[in-house]
Amino acid sequence: MSRFDRISTSIAGLIVVERQRRGDDRGFFSRFFCREALADFGGDGKIAQINHTLTQAAGTIRGLHFQHAPHDEAKFVSCLSGAVFDVAVDLRPDSPTYLQWHGEVLSADNGRSMMIPGGCAHGFQTLTEDCELIYLHDKPYAPEAEGGLNPLDPRLAIDWPLPVSQMSPRDQALPLLPNRIAAA
């Protein structure tokens, strides 16, 4: 019996994972990660780095971040407290969903995670105050490979659920997509 449910998205390799909870009047137990079970969902389950964030204000946007090949990384993103609108943008030029995005509410209450394949940018908007996320990465951070897209880019037209309350100066300065995108 699997402790994870798989919810497919329109973007190849982007999977929403729902953790099964076993609970009683004391609370619940759920398996957060299992290399063998999650490998069936398309990853190899290797973890090279784990990051943890706290974002205090609702409406804050972080991202859209990615790493250029060969350092492009897969991420397993989960919300430990609060709720976020988590977004992945397909940046793989040969993909039929190139430049399309998928957003999903991840919260401490719904037990959902996003398994984001390499070649996708990632960002989120906090829906509540004091949101904590944990990211499991299959490759270590490589500063020389860092990239990003402006999360307010009109070409992406991400439907952020709340008015933007905060963004870092770095994220505000991320580039917009060019008017024309050259064929790969």
Side-chain angles (χ1 to χ4, degrees):
M1 166 184 7
S2 177
R3 296 196 183 237
F4 303 97
D5 288 332
R6 172 191 182 126
I7 302 167
S8 296
T9 70
S10 62
I11 297 175
L14 178 64
I15 306 294
V16 177
V17 176
E18 199 165 76
R19 295 181 302 280
Q20 296 298 308
R21 293 180 173 174
R22 308 239 186 316
D24 58 26
D25 57 350
R26 299 168 296 163
F28 71 85
F29 171 86
S30 76
R31 181 159 296 154
F32 185 79
F33 179 83
C34 176
R35 183 174 63 183
E36 291 79 17
L38 293 173
D40 292 340
F41 292 0
D44 64 11
K46 293 181 181 172
I47 299 173
Q49 184 172 308
I50 300 173
N51 295 320
H52 178 219
T53 65
L54 167 68
T55 307
Q56 295 175 326
T60 300
I61 292 178
R62 288 185 183 248
L64 300 160
H65 304 142
F66 63 93
Q67 291 202 134
H68 293 280
H71 302 283
D72 51 329
E73 59 187 351
K75 298 178 185 177
F76 185 74
V77 181
S78 303
C79 185
L80 301 177
S81 69
V84 301
F85 184 66
D86 204 57
V87 173
V89 178
D90 191 349
L91 298 179
R92 300 167 292 185
D94 295 332
S95 171
T97 56
Y98 180 59
L99 295 183
Q100 292 181 27
W101 61 272
H102 177 83
E104 195 74 37
V105 173
L106 307 182
S107 72
D109 292 333
N110 72 13
R112 287 185 167 188
S113 300
M114 284 239 287
M115 189 174 242
I116 302 169
C120 289
H122 172 255
F124 65 88
Q125 183 179 45
T126 55
L127 302 177
T128 62
E129 293 182 355
D130 298 322
C131 293
E132 289 187 75
L133 270 65
I134 189 165
Y135 305 67
L136 286 64
H137 301 256
D138 71 344
K139 292 183 182 165
Y141 173 68
E144 70 279 6
E146 183 178 89
L149 295 175
N150 192 302
L152 302 179
D153 191 320
R155 295 248 349 257
L156 294 173
I158 296 172
D159 189 15
W160 299 106
L162 298 178
V164 178
S165 65
Q166 292 183 5
M167 278 178 59
S168 72
R170 174 182 161 233
D171 288 349
Q172 289 176 30
L174 288 171
L176 298 174
L177 292 168
N179 286 335
R180 278 182 174 229
I181 298 176

